[in-house]
Amino acid sequence: MAESALQEIVCCFGQPVAGNPTQFMMESAFAKAGLEWRYLTLEVGPEDLPAAVAGLLAMGFRGGNLTIPHKVAVLEHLDRLTEAAELIGAVNCIIEEDGALVGDNTDGKGFVESLRPLVDPKDKRVVMFGAGGAARAIAVESALAGASHFTIVNRDPTRAESLLQTINDRTDASATFVEWDHDYQVPEESDILINATSIGLGDPDGELRVAFDSMRSSQVVADVIFNPPQTRWLQHAQDAGCQTLDGLGMLVNQGAIAFKSWTGVDPDVEVMREALEEYLEL
Ligand code: NDP
């Protein structure tokens, strides 16, 4: 390393955060781009979040990612938010800009980018299973990308209500709710079906309560689960002849958007995906 060079540093705050694959993915992309940047994975508990965010600025970090349990709690410690982060109500990416900390949410944008090669969300009708953080991020960005209607299928009506309000009141799309207490019959006119629940996470046998024979081959079917990426949900979709999208695409693209925001450089997304697959031993 040249004597005068101070490395640029970004990081991830979370708890528990061991086993998070982002550092390996980012450092592979830094190396490929020839950037002297480092990515630190840091175990930070809720009580230490304010000091950790202040420390990020004090130590000249260029930004960072937030994961469980900090995505909502961090909002009050930032100087400003992007439109997407404000609508979603959660931040997964901090960018340092002239001494100010800007909160963004790249999860939904990452999803939409990974979806586009299969289908443009514009004017499409979406069925979304789940109403948590991932569902909110995907729904808001898909609505901003022109999706026309969302059917939110979730067990807990309260959680779904807040997402419905955001879509109906703050975007041009419309949304309705279906309480998920039965095997869901997929409406024929649906274009895109998304599992945004945690069903399937670390559980290759995890099953959604769906009448799988109601799926049509014209529908594009996506999953947020990236480990393992081949879920039962996607298997059912493939059996029905649907095009499918696994959760690795979203993970790579949300990381690629953060990389570009921090460095100003477009990363090699293929290298990022290969690094993830190596880390997750896929
Ligand atoms: P949240 O805890 O915010 O939300 C979880 C959602 O899953 C809720 O809607 C919950 O329903 C639903 N759910 C959980 N278990 C069940 C079940 N057995 N039956 C029906 N519904 C269920 O989590 P997140 O939204 O933050 O994360 C969801 C998943 O997305 C995680 O597995 C995470 O790893 C993944 N993810 C993937 C990303 C990627 O880049 N690929 C990025 C971000 C997240 P209810 O409200 O009724 O409890």
Side-chain angles (χ1 to χ4, degrees):
M1 191 186 12
E3 223 174 82
S4 59
L6 269 182
Q7 293 168 357
E8 303 288 2
I9 302 177
V10 285
C11 61
C12 176
F13 295 155
Q15 188 178 59
V17 77
N20 187 303
T22 307
Q23 175 173 347
F24 193 68
M25 176 175 81
M26 289 293 187
E27 295 211 322
S28 301
F30 289 150
K32 179 71 199 282
L35 293 171
E36 267 295 335
W37 284 54
R38 294 290 176 270
Y39 189 104
L40 307 178
T41 303
L42 302 169
E43 184 86 12
V44 174
E47 66 289 356
D48 291 323
L49 184 66
V53 174
L56 189 150
L57 205 51
M59 290 185 282
F61 285 22
R62 300 293 299 274
N65 288 126
L66 286 312
T67 187
I68 288 172
H70 302 313
K71 287 186 182 183
V72 175
V74 77
L75 293 177
E76 62 181 284
H77 305 295
L78 302 174
D79 296 301
R80 57 179 190 271
L81 300 177
T82 61
E83 182 196 10
E86 197 266 316
L87 278 175
I88 294 163
V91 162
N92 76 331
C93 177
I94 300 175
I95 304 136
E96 184 274 328
E97 280 181 15
D98 301 325
L101 295 181
V102 182
D104 193 10
N105 193 312
T106 64
D107 280 338
K109 284 191 265 280
F111 176 85
V112 170
E113 269 188 31
S114 65
L115 182 69
R116 279 193 193 283
L118 278 67
V119 61
D120 183 341
K122 189 163 169 44
D123 299 328
K124 297 297 186 297
R125 296 181 69 86
V126 177
V127 173
M128 171 87 73
F129 298 95
R136 283 191 70 88
I138 292 170
V140 164
E141 288 293 352
S142 302
L144 295 177
S148 60
H149 182 79
F150 294 83
T151 304
I152 307 296
V153 184
N154 200 51
R155 293 177 309 189
D156 176 359
T158 318
R159 185 127 66 156
E161 184 52 41
S162 134
L163 177 52
L164 246 65
Q165 247 177 27
T166 303
I167 297 171
N168 285 324
D169 300 351
R170 313 264 328 260
T171 77
D172 293 336
S174 60
T176 50
F177 170 62
V178 173
E179 190 162 349
W180 202 5
D181 54 6
H182 59 286
D183 287 352
Y184 180 72
Q185 193 80 24
V186 177
E188 201 173 335
E189 66 274 17
S190 323
D191 301 302
I192 302 169
L193 317 178
I194 305 167
N195 173 35
T197 75
S198 39
I199 299 171
L201 179 64
D203 175 14
D205 298 324
E207 283 280 19
L208 272 70
R209 293 191 63 189
V210 169
F212 299 112
D213 58 2
S214 62
M215 295 164 97
R216 305 276 185 289
S217 59
S218 57
Q219 291 160 343
V220 173
V221 178
D223 208 323
V224 295
I225 300 300
F226 60 85
N227 194 20
Q230 178 62 19
T231 58
R232 297 274 297 166
W233 168 238
L234 294 186
Q235 189 57 56
H236 287 297
Q238 285 152 11
D239 292 347
C242 305
Q243 289 190 83
T244 59
L245 176 65
D246 68 33
L248 283 173
M250 177 178 176
L251 189 59
V252 167
N253 281 301
Q254 62 79 28
I257 295 163
F259 186 107
K260 177 80 190 272
S261 297
W262 294 327
T263 65
V265 173
D266 281 312
D268 184 329
V269 287
E270 268 314 304
V271 162
M272 294 174 83
R273 180 154 181 137
E274 281 164 18
L276 266 184
E277 288 177 354
E278 183 185 340
Y279 188 86
L280 298 171
E281 296 179 353
L282 299 174

